[in-house]
Amino acid sequence: MTPEQHKNAAAALLQAERTRTQIGVLSVAYPDITMDDAYAIQTQFVDAKVAAGDPVVGWKIGLTSRAMQMALNIDIPDSGVLTRSMQFDTGATIPAGHFIEPRIEAEIAFVMKSDIGGADVTRDDVLAATGYVAPALEILDTRILRTDPTTGQARKVFDTISDNAANAGIVMGLERHKPENLRWVGAIVRVGETVEETGLGAGVLNDPVESLVWLAQRMALYGNRIKAGQVILSGSFIRPIECPAGTQIDADFGSFGSVALNFA
């Protein structure tokens, strides 16, 4: 893809977000799209949001579970950017029509107390740079159709990455913890009164800390760093849960805390 095509794709995604109308599958429109193209489109998309007064507050890491990687036939995670407008309080009600096709995932959020970066970042470096961890929900949305209506081709990982890794929101619980024993942190996620999903932190690359190691090392390739004060969503340990209008979500992380969210 050319830089002009990156710019046009990002503009189409921004328009889709504003109008709540999905665009076509980018990997169909641009069959030669690469991972670098996808991240270039994402960068253009995020830069436009920042220029409009919506600053970056952190990062999300996706495709960290073995099941999701196998489903998309990849062997690495992906990442997206969190901006201020994506932050919601636990217990909040999302207005009707705010998103296109919202889904949620249960995750562990890291809040950083110091910068971290470099190709040689280690697990110990991540732990030393972490201020605290907290229970969280990620809100996913898609500005791209899930399936191309003409060819029947489903979205590929390039589409998801271009679309800011399907990132749309973050809801953090009020509890604060040291980053310890995260493999055993789990959640019971209810939709209304029905237990819809359960999972453990070990589903995220065997340990959510390893997600941040991957992110810091990937960012180093582009001369970037994770910064103090940023929030990092380390990856989901449940499948995405669809959230049509009227959905009530309650994520019980046990002694780790809880997060709730409603969709009007």
Side-chain angles (χ1 to χ4, degrees):
M1 293 179 66
T2 67
E4 187 67 20
Q5 288 173 326
H6 296 157
K7 181 180 178 180
N8 291 340
L13 288 167
L14 288 163
Q15 177 71 3
E17 185 173 73
R18 283 192 294 266
T19 63
R20 310 293 190 263
T21 303
Q22 292 170 318
I23 65 171
V25 178
L26 291 178
S27 58
V28 171
Y30 304 102
D32 295 328
I33 188 172
T34 66
M35 201 76 80
D36 285 342
D37 290 323
Y39 278 113
I41 294 167
Q42 181 190 117
T43 298
Q44 294 258 8
F45 176 78
V46 172
D47 285 352
K49 295 172 78 71
V50 172
D54 192 11
V56 172
V57 297
W59 300 79
K60 65 86 47 114
I61 307 165
L63 303 180
T64 53
S65 73
R66 180 64 175 157
M68 289 300 294
Q69 289 183 1
M70 290 179 67
L72 290 174
N73 194 31
I74 65 169
D75 59 2
I76 59 171
D78 69 358
S79 64
V81 183
L82 295 166
T83 63
R84 183 171 294 162
S85 67
M86 297 177 184
Q87 295 177 308
F88 298 90
D89 295 331
T90 183
T93 296
I94 306 298
H98 188 81
F99 296 116
I100 303 171
E101 293 181 350
R103 297 176 291 165
I104 65 94
E105 295 178 334
E107 312 201 11
I108 296 170
F110 288 66
V111 179
M112 312 311 292
K113 66 181 180 182
S114 57
D115 292 4
I116 184 172
D120 57 352
V121 165
T122 67
R123 171 188 175 84
D124 287 342
D125 294 331
V126 169
L127 293 174
T130 300
Y132 61 86
V133 292
L137 295 174
E138 180 184 0
I139 305 171
L140 304 172
D141 200 11
T142 175
R143 276 71 60 170
I144 298 175
L145 291 169
R146 298 189 187 188
T147 304
D148 178 70
T150 301
T151 66
Q153 177 180 304
R155 289 175 306 184
K156 297 181 178 180
V157 67
F158 310 112
D159 299 286
T160 304
I161 292 172
S162 299
D163 194 16
N164 198 22
N167 188 15
I170 174 176
V171 189
M172 285 178 57
L174 302 177
E175 297 78 11
R176 305 289 183 260
H177 302 276
K178 295 179 180 180
E180 299 174 343
N181 301 317
L182 299 182
R183 296 180 69 248
W184 290 99
V185 172
I188 302 168
V189 185
R190 296 200 318 266
V191 175
E193 297 301 319
T194 301
V195 173
E196 193 72 23
E197 271 293 316
T198 63
L200 285 175
V204 178
L205 300 180
N206 193 42
D207 188 335
V209 176
E210 295 299 330
S211 267
L212 275 76
V213 173
W214 173 85
L215 178 64
Q217 292 177 350
R218 191 194 75 79
M219 290 173 68
L221 298 175
Y222 303 94
N224 211 341
R225 297 171 64 85
I226 299 171
K227 297 179 181 179
Q230 289 187 333
V231 180
I232 314 296
L233 284 172
S234 58
S236 178
F237 46 78
I238 66 167
R239 67 172 176 83
I241 297 175
E242 304 282 350
C243 295
T247 301
Q248 295 180 323
I249 298 291
D250 177 54
D252 179 2
F253 287 74
S255 61
F256 198 71
S258 63
V259 191
L261 187 64
N262 305 303
F263 290 85

